[in-house]
Amino acid sequence: MWSESVPGLATGSHRGSGAWPGITVAEWDDWRWQVSNRISSIEQLAKVVHLSPAALLDVEECLKIFRMAITPYYASLIDLQDPRCPIRQQAIPTRAEVSQGQDDSLDPLFEDTDSPVPGLTHRYPDRVLFIVTDQCSMYCRHCTRRRLAGQTDHAPTRAELEARLDYVRRTPRIRDVVLSGGDALLVSDALLDHLLRELRSIPHVEIIRLATRTPVVLPQRITAEFCRMVRKHHPVYVNTHFNHPSELTREAVGACERLADAGVPLGNQTVLLRGVNDCPHVMRRLMHGLLKARVRPYYLYQCDLSRGIQHFRTPTSRGIEIIEHLRGHTSGLAVPAYCIDGPGGAGKIPLGPEYVLSRSPEYLVLRNYEGAITAYREPPSGALAGDKCDTCGEPHDRQPSLGVAAVLDGQRTSLEPAEMERKLRRRRRPE
Ligand SMILES: *Cc1c(COP(=O)(O)O)cnc(C)c1O
């Protein structure tokens, strides 16, 4: 059933033929074989897909700046007849990557700036991004972290990882650690076992997440041994990265199911990509397919301002349109949060259709997905008055809050940028 919409798929049309003559099923199913036989040169690529001399030249130009690597498995999903194949567009470099857009930057999210120790980004109060390796099994053409991914292709040293662990140990506010990369699953089970055990032994670490595209591009990585190892360290979440329904092959769905059977809650982070998935119908099929594989759509990202991916960017109106087509029309479980990761380290900011049309002290005026307008009558005012919260019994103005929440709690009356022109003028004014 999964393979119906998937051209040239599933049992691997390339298996034992074409580009990999004589390989055995056991080799094909071995993730280390897949990684060591990645397509990373023009010669290898030319054996798998037919490219015109001009297209090959484009790839060559691109490889001077960015790396290419495609697992044989993912390459076998390319529809050779379709130049706009979504698998192809995510895997094979084009000339568009060479041109630099005016807003492009290497580190648009300031991940290196918000980094107390190398390889760890601490942006939000209670959680960190912990880079495990810069390696990936495939180098996605739309990669946001391409300044890093695949640059050295070496596992970090014990000392580097120890420094990151140490930061988590001595920072009690961290209750959630995202292990990422590169791809967090491109290191050995033994190293992941070690990291998960070390993190688990830190009392304030409540949950651990693994960020990986392996279920999509290297489903062979999700072995029974890996699942046995992970389940010793629960709660461990996995966030993966499906972008198109054609990626939901029998193999990929199997990988998700093995993880789900090991008690791992699965989420998916999709990147909105022009010409690949910027269509409400494609997106709905993707979200439904994910839910069938027990993967909960988590985020839909606006494409970042990283270098060489300008051609993948859509206007944000596209993302809002997609959410408009999902919310209310289908299961709420199928609706991811559409976010922009704000340049300069602002973090993820949700965007979406507006549902609040107006308000008065008494009424909130709303519209639903059908366009029907409805009014919600607010509870009589005064119900929330008093020094203590009716619900938790604590005075909220004494529990430290941050940002806009602090204004809501009455702890601050305003929030101002440090360098606000109005404020600078204020200081300069002669007394
Ligand atoms: C995305 C991200 C996280 C996790 O954010 P959630 O919204 O909790 O999923 C943490 N740190 C950094 C730097 C991130 O980019």
Side-chain angles (χ1 to χ4, degrees), residues 111 121 123-124 127-129 178 209 298-299 341 348:
E111 289 181 332
T121 301
R123 165 155 312 145
Y124 300 105
R127 56 210 186 277
V128 290
L129 178 74
V178 182
R209 306 190 237 178
Y298 180 49
Y299 282 135
D341 214 327
K348 298 171 183 76

